[in-house]
Amino acid sequence: MSPGGTGCFSGLLLTVGWLLLAGLRSSGGTNVTAIQDSGLAHEGEGDGEGDGESDEEAENDISNRTVVKEVEFGMCTVTCGIGMREVILTNGCPGGESKCIVRVEECHGPVDCGWGKPISESLESVRLACIHVSPVNRFKYMWKLLRPDQQAIVLANDSAILEVRREVRPLAFECDTLDSNELVATIKFTVYTISELQVRRSRSQPDTDAVLVFVLTIGVVVCVFVIFVLIFIIVNWAAVKAFWGARASTTEIHSELSSVRYKDSTSLDQTPTEIPVNDEEDALSEWNE
């Protein structure tokens, strides 16, 4: 082969080698790009799934927020002044319950509670209490001494409890309960004299006391009578014994007489056929002789 032909052949081989190398590089680059694209695709799919989950959570949150919670209130514990009541949930309770208590809150009735009763009293003094709920120091209290046809006298006591001594005339007191300088309850009391208190107590005694006294009196009388009878029997035991002995003998005699009469009546009631035949023949033979 000539040197020119050898050079052409080597040039051709070099060209083919470069072409093959370029093709391998292009195919390698394509594969890398595909892998990267597939990874990006997976990441995109993952991002899409995450977005879907976040959308579902958002929808659930919205649905939970849009649940209508129906609330009703229980009865207030008082008919006037300050009391407590239950707040009851009738829709949206946990665990599928039909009703559940959410909380207990304060409730207010009419301010005027009229005339009240002392919390304790004796013949010397009376203890009065204002309308309040716990805590006691949350409210302010204003005590007044009421006077007929005159302005009330504000007392220095500002606590919920007032102790008053009885006087020769009845007294009337009023207590105002204030919450944040707002009147929420007021109540009045009458403090009677000692004589009036005794009269009221005697009138308030039930009729059963008289019945109880009558029954107790009858019981005592019966017990005394039984005791006297026992003492009489012990003292006159000989006479009592003789009396019961005579009575017992009389009873025995009467029983014996009744038994004899019964036997006689039974013997008379016997018929002739009941008489033995041998006795009749013996009597006839003796007659003939």
Side-chain angles (χ1 to χ4, degrees):
M1 182 177 295
S2 62
T6 302
C8 293
F9 181 74
S10 60
L12 181 61
L13 288 176
L14 183 60
T15 302
V16 171
W18 279 107
L19 290 175
L20 290 174
L21 181 60
L24 289 173
R25 288 181 178 179
S26 62
S27 62
T30 303
N31 292 334
V32 171
T33 303
I35 292 170
Q36 291 178 354
D37 293 340
S38 63
L40 292 174
H42 285 298
E43 291 180 359
E45 290 177 359
D47 295 337
E49 291 177 357
D51 294 338
E53 290 178 357
S54 61
D55 292 339
E56 290 179 358
E57 292 177 357
E59 290 177 359
N60 291 330
D61 293 337
I62 294 171
S63 62
N64 291 331
R65 292 176 184 175
T66 56
V67 172
V68 178
K69 294 184 178 181
E70 299 177 0
V71 176
E72 67 180 22
F73 300 93
M75 294 292 294
C76 193
T77 56
V78 295
T79 56
C80 68
I82 314 164
M84 305 299 291
R85 67 180 178 183
E86 296 177 345
V87 180
I88 303 171
L89 189 64
T90 58
N91 188 14
C93 292
E97 297 180 358
S98 58
K99 289 185 178 182
C100 54
I101 299 175
V102 179
R103 65 182 182 276
V104 178
E105 66 179 14
E106 188 177 288
C107 59
H108 290 212
V111 174
D112 191 1
C113 291
W115 295 87
K117 294 182 179 180
I119 56 175
S120 64
E121 60 179 343
S122 62
L123 292 177
E124 292 79 17
S125 62
V126 182
R127 296 186 73 220
L128 311 176
C130 295
I131 303 295
H132 65 275
V133 295
S134 183
V136 181
N137 57 1
R138 167 191 161 191
F139 304 97
K140 292 183 179 180
Y141 308 97
M142 181 183 297
W143 286 96
K144 301 176 184 177
L145 174 61
L146 303 180
R147 298 181 297 175
D149 301 329
Q150 294 182 13
Q151 187 176 2
I153 300 175
V154 179
L155 304 180
N157 186 12
D158 58 352
S159 62
I161 305 297
L162 176 67
E163 187 170 356
V164 182
R165 297 188 63 84
R166 299 186 188 276
E167 297 186 5
V168 295
R169 58 186 179 87
L171 302 175
F173 294 90
E174 181 183 43
C175 180
D176 296 337
T177 304
L178 298 94
D179 186 10
S180 301
N181 295 327
E182 180 184 357
L183 182 64
V184 293
T186 179
I187 189 170
K188 302 180 182 67
F189 300 95
T190 300
V191 178
Y192 297 97
T193 62
I194 297 176
S195 59
E196 289 176 340
L197 179 63
Q198 292 175 344
V199 171
R200 289 175 63 85
R201 286 182 176 179
S202 63
R203 289 178 180 177
S204 62
Q205 292 294 331
D207 297 336
T208 55
D209 290 349
V211 177
L212 182 60
V213 170
F214 176 76
V215 172
L216 291 176
T217 304
I218 297 297
V220 170
V221 171
V222 171
C223 290
V224 171
F225 177 76
V226 171
I227 291 171
F228 274 108
V229 170
L230 293 175
I231 293 172
F232 177 79
I233 292 173
I234 293 170
V235 172
N236 302 282
W237 176 248
V240 173
K241 187 176 181 181
F243 173 77
W244 284 107
R247 184 162 183 167
S249 61
T250 304
T251 305
E252 290 177 357
I253 292 170
H254 281 295
S255 62
E256 290 177 357
L257 290 174
S258 61
S259 63
V260 169
R261 288 174 183 174
Y262 177 74
K263 290 179 180 179
D264 292 341
S265 62
T266 53
S267 62
L268 292 174
D269 291 338
Q270 288 180 354
T271 58
T273 57
E274 295 176 352
I275 300 175
V277 178
N278 294 329
D279 293 340
E280 291 180 356
E281 291 178 354
D282 293 339
L284 289 175
S285 63
E286 290 176 357
W287 178 261
N288 291 328
E289 292 177 355

